Amino acid sequence: MLLVAMMGLRAQNVSDLIISEALAVPDSTGIMDDYGRRSAWVELFNKSTGTVNFGGCFLTDDRTNLKKSIIPKSDLRTKLGPRQSVVLFCSGNGQEGTFYAGFTLEPGKTIYLVSNDGHSIIDSLSIPARLPEGKSVVKLAMDLRQQDFQPQDSPAIPSPGMLNGDQNAATKAQAMAESDPHGWTLTLVSVSVVFSALAILWFLFWLFFDRPAKQAAKAKAKAAVPKTATGTPDGEVAAAIAMALDMEASGDDYAAIAMAVHLYMNDAIHDVEPGFITIRSTGAAWENKSRFFRKLPR
Amino acid sequence: MEHIFQSLSQFWEYTGFANCSWQNLVMIGIGLVFITLAIVKEWEPMLLVPIGFGMIVGNIPMFPGLNIGVYEDGSVLNTLYQGVKQGWYPPLIFLGIGAMTDFSALISQPRLILIGAAAQMGIFGAYLLALLFGFAPNEAGAIGIIGGADGPTAIFLSSKLAPDLMGAIAVSAYSYMALVPVIQKPIMLLLTSDKERRIKMPVPRTVSKREKIIFPIVGFLITAFIVPSGLPLLGMLFFGNLLKESGVTRRLANTASGPLIDVVTTLIGLTVGASTQADKFISFKSLLIFGLGLLSFVIATTCGVLFVKLMNLLIKNPAKKINPLIGNAGVSAVPDSARVSETVGREIDPTNHLLMHAMGPNVAGVIGSAVAAGILLSFLG
């Protein structure tokens, strides 16, 4: 249970971070750090839908020294919002600020992002040895849910701090407007899904509850048909009575007996009392207020 | 003396009279009409009184920047409005609805579930029409949900898909829910013959406690697995119902179906009403939304009734035929549309009680509209 709980905690935290982009050799168009230099940089991306604090994590380019450069814990800016990215400059001096790593990037090396425990590698990114100047290596989402990010072979135009891939990608609604301008596809799919969901519900309840209940009721009703001593059903008894009456009784007798048989057969009369007792309050002498009045002295 | 005049003049600038526009007056007038309808005609008073008064509150002309308006960050009204904007209120209302709803009518006649699905055609009919009128797909989806006849669902979906249109959509949805008897009856009479209206349905079987407990669990699992995006609504609806049916959480069920839903209904009504500030509400788009909302109700009712007629064609046993007057109840305005079925049915044959039968598609409609909202959210959100 503890293991599961720990896994859960990790899942909501730094394990959702990836190294999404890196630029090793900046050119004259690259972004400048706070000191006016065009340094190499790495970009971290939070692929979760919750905020992640990466303070206390480590960056390194040396597998044997995972604690090479620590990201300060006490800076509020280390909280990274959902689907947001942050750029850390690899200036070689981690003391320059929160977003500076204590090593420089070189083509052919691999960068590691290490958890705040100091030994769990969260993610890594290898920089190709022949990465051209001014180009970056990026990871792109391979799935619709944007959870599986894979590094791309071809060098990319740097996009520090921005979502990698197509910056002008259409929103779902825009994509729908293009692919289904009149709405028929969405309508057909949606109606089918609504019907399917409710039809499955109907089928399950019909199969497991409604049908068995009705069959049981039918069987019970069949078993409950009262039999006379000779095994003759009530219906036949009623028919026999009717025939006998037909020969000797009057119209009023027919009506009275038919009503009695009808009530009996339809379970409208019964010998079992409902079990309710109504207590009607009746006036007692104790409640008579006039008894409590005192006569005034004359 | 001059100072006094200056002060008075400054005070005048802050009054409602100085900042009033004709749009404000129109909206206040509409708010008064809502309140009048609720009190005099008793049309959905629980909704129309808070919404109507909210409209008046939201349209009192005021000097901007005093941090009191519903759209001003940090104001009291704005804080209360976050429940609408962020979509907290609708799931809480669904929790209460679940705790109040008896699904027995549905469980005893599972075939009636399909009527609830058919009536959701109103949503997609309005979606198609909204696209035709030039709305973007996300806006069209938010407008279409008016046809679900479910205020909380409409607010939930429009807050996600088209927040700018939420005021008009919410007011439209609640207004037409209040007008269900007026809208549905003529359609029902138009689409059914006298013989069909007299169909007497068999008395539904008694539903066991075990079935009632299993229903919310199975219902939730199936619908949520198919449409996870409807989770906030479906989860709360079925959770509320489980609280009610389990029999061991009576206090929780009573709170959800009583004080909680009352509080949230009051707040949602007031803040939705207040969000209809004239400058944001009075537009041609709002008028179109009202028109499309009406059409969505008409389509939903029509499809529900026609679907029952179609089912009857497939049912061979005359004793098992379904009265098409319960088709309208697939529109999930609980329990108003079921009440319309009962009323119209009894007008034709006073001994024909359809309420219990109509409650089946009615509660199925609640599930159906939440599922439809989830689908639209997953496609357009």
Side-chain angles (χ1 to χ4, degrees):
Chain A
M1 274 180 71
L2 189 65
L3 185 69
V4 172
M6 283 171 70
M7 283 169 70
L9 283 174
R10 269 181 61 83
Q12 291 165 21
N13 284 295
V14 289
S15 59
D16 289 314
L17 292 172
I18 58 162
I19 302 173
S20 53
E21 190 173 356
L23 180 137
V25 189
D27 63 5
S28 58
T29 61
I31 57 163
M32 282 194 275
D33 62 17
D34 298 328
Y35 299 93
R37 301 170 303 209
R38 295 190 200 280
S39 307
W41 49 264
V42 293
E43 182 191 70
L44 303 183
F45 178 70
N46 172 13
K47 63 180 180 180
S48 77
T49 51
T51 299
V52 171
N53 189 348
F54 60 91
C57 290
F58 300 88
L59 271 177
T60 182
D61 59 351
D62 182 358
R63 186 75 198 253
T64 60
N65 181 12
L66 294 179
K67 294 183 178 178
K68 194 169 185 180
S69 181
I70 188 169
I71 300 166
K73 286 179 188 172
S74 52
D75 195 330
L76 289 175
R77 293 175 298 166
T78 55
K79 286 184 178 172
L80 194 54
R83 308 264 174 198
Q84 296 297 304
S85 53
V86 63
V87 171
L88 291 102
F89 292 100
C90 299
S91 65
N93 182 5
Q95 303 300 314
E96 287 181 341
T98 301
F99 301 108
Y100 291 84
F103 58 90
T104 54
L105 282 190
E106 286 167 29
K109 281 201 164 186
T110 301
I111 325 155
Y112 300 93
L113 175 64
V114 181
S115 175
N116 44 20
D117 61 12
H119 56 79
S120 310
I121 294 174
I122 302 167
D123 194 34
S124 63
L125 180 64
S126 297
I127 300 170
R130 292 182 181 178
L131 188 68
E133 185 184 301
K135 298 286 181 187
S136 65
V137 54
V138 297
K139 278 185 186 167
L140 292 180
M142 295 289 112
D143 59 339
L144 191 66
R145 297 170 66 226
Q146 297 204 331
Q147 292 299 307
D148 178 26
F149 284 79
Q150 295 297 331
Q152 302 300 297
D153 293 334
S154 53
I157 297 168
S159 59
M162 288 188 284
L163 197 65
N164 296 339
D166 185 5
Q167 298 299 314
N168 300 315
T171 61
K172 277 186 189 175
Q174 287 166 339
M176 191 59 73
E178 274 186 27
S179 61
D180 183 24
H182 302 295
W184 288 107
T185 310
L186 185 138
T187 301
L188 267 173
V189 173
S190 304
V191 169
S192 312
V193 174
V194 172
F195 264 96
S196 309
L198 294 186
I200 292 170
L201 206 56
W202 160 65
F203 180 71
L204 286 179
F205 269 80
W206 172 78
L207 190 67
F208 293 114
F209 294 106
D210 195 43
R211 201 172 68 137
K214 279 179 180 162
Q215 282 173 347
K218 224 179 234 178
K220 199 177 167 188
K222 206 174 179 183
V225 173
K227 304 265 182 176
T228 58
T230 55
T232 317
D234 274 4
E236 290 175 33
V237 174
I241 293 170
M243 279 174 66
L245 287 170
D246 206 24
M247 286 190 283
E248 27 187 277
S250 67
D252 289 347
D253 295 335
Y254 288 160
I257 292 170
M259 177 59 79
V261 171
H262 169 76
L263 289 174
Y264 174 74
M265 292 183 72
N266 286 287
D267 207 20
I269 53 169
H270 52 81
D271 294 319
V272 184
E273 292 302 322
F276 295 110
I277 301 171
T278 307
I279 301 171
R280 184 176 293 167
S281 64
T282 51
W286 292 102
E287 294 167 355
N288 190 347
K289 287 182 182 170
S290 65
R291 293 205 164 209
F292 297 102
F293 295 156
R294 288 186 179 177
K295 285 183 181 174
L296 292 171
R298 299 194 177 192
Chain B
M1 197 65 182
E2 191 183 335
H3 180 66
I4 292 172
F5 276 119
Q6 262 184 357
S7 300
L8 281 174
S9 164
Q10 194 180 351
F11 175 71
W12 171 255
E13 290 297 317
Y14 279 89
T15 64
F17 299 106
N19 295 290
C20 191
S21 67
W22 66 267
Q23 288 98 331
N24 289 123
L25 295 178
V26 169
M27 290 309 297
I28 290 172
I30 296 173
L32 289 172
V33 170
F34 273 39
I35 293 172
T36 311
L37 287 175
I39 295 170
V40 178
K41 296 272 185 186
E42 291 192 21
W43 284 351
E44 293 279 355
M46 304 286 189
L47 299 173
L48 291 191
V49 170
I51 290 177
F53 198 80
M55 280 178 161
I56 300 173
V57 169
N59 283 285
I60 296 296
M62 61 188 167
F63 195 84
L66 294 176
N67 214 22
I68 50 172
V70 73
Y71 292 111
E72 291 184 295
D73 282 349
S75 72
V76 174
L77 280 175
N78 183 266
T79 305
L80 296 176
Y81 183 58
Q82 293 306 310
V84 175
K85 203 175 167 188
Q86 306 290 338
W88 312 326
Y89 292 153
L92 288 175
I93 289 191
F94 260 60
L95 178 71
I97 292 173
M100 283 194 283
T101 305
D102 184 356
F103 283 105
S104 304
L106 193 67
I107 301 168
S108 63
Q109 301 181 83
R111 61 188 179 149
L112 302 184
I113 290 178
L114 296 176
I115 305 171
Q120 304 316 314
M121 283 299 292
I123 295 175
F124 302 106
Y127 170 74
L128 292 174
L129 286 171
L131 283 180
L132 206 65
F133 278 98
F135 284 97
N138 54 324
E139 292 176 332
I143 293 167
I145 203 69
I146 299 173
D150 204 323
T153 310
I155 290 172
F156 178 78
L157 192 68
S158 55
S159 69
K160 308 279 178 203
L161 294 185
D164 292 346
L165 305 181
M166 189 171 55
I169 289 170
V171 172
S172 172
Y174 279 121
S175 309
Y176 292 130
M177 279 165 68
L179 292 172
V180 152
V182 182
I183 299 169
Q184 290 196 322
K185 190 181 169 183
I187 301 168
M188 292 158 71
L189 294 176
L190 187 75
L191 295 174
T192 52
S193 67
D194 188 62
K195 191 183 165 192
E196 284 173 327
R197 288 175 218 143
R198 290 178 189 278
I199 293 175
K200 281 197 175 175
M201 294 172 66
V203 178
R205 69 178 173 84
T206 312
V207 174
S208 68
K209 189 183 175 189
R210 193 176 58 151
E211 287 174 85
K212 287 185 185 180
I213 292 173
I214 291 173
F215 183 80
I217 298 169
V218 174
F220 172 66
L221 286 173
I222 291 171
T223 52
F225 264 84
I226 294 175
V227 196
S229 39
L231 201 61
L233 298 175
L234 292 165
M236 291 301 226
L237 177 77
F238 287 118
F239 172 54
N241 192 247
L242 184 63
L243 290 180
K244 173 181 179 280
E245 300 300 354
S246 66
V248 291
T249 50
R250 196 157 293 158
R251 274 173 50 199
L252 301 185
N254 287 344
T255 304
S257 63
L260 180 67
I261 199 168
D262 287 350
V263 168
V264 181
T265 304
T266 309
L267 292 177
I268 204 171
L270 189 76
T271 48
V272 161
S275 71
T276 61
Q277 270 185 12
D279 55 335
K280 301 193 189 300
F281 191 80
I282 294 186
S283 66
F284 182 63
K285 261 190 176 180
S286 298
L287 270 179
L288 266 180
I289 289 169
F290 269 80
L292 289 166
L294 176 64
L295 282 174
S296 70
F297 266 66
V298 172
I299 297 169
T301 309
T302 307
C303 288
V305 175
L306 291 180
F307 187 76
V308 176
K309 290 173 71 128
L310 179 71
M311 283 175 88
N312 278 343
L313 288 177
L314 303 173
I315 297 169
K316 299 291 172 209
N317 186 350
K320 288 188 175 175
K321 296 259 184 201
I322 305 169
N323 192 318
L325 290 181
I326 68 166
N328 72 301
V331 174
S332 65
V334 180
D336 292 7
S337 48
R339 243 186 252 148
V340 176
S341 305
E342 165 79 3
T343 315
V344 179
R346 283 184 64 193
E347 277 175 18
I348 311 298
D349 178 358
T351 63
N352 198 3
H353 295 280
L354 295 172
L355 187 64
M356 267 308 286
H357 304 291
M359 281 308 290
N362 210 188
V363 291
V366 177
I367 302 171
S369 61
V371 170
I375 298 166
L376 289 171
L377 191 59
S378 59
F379 275 112
L380 306 169

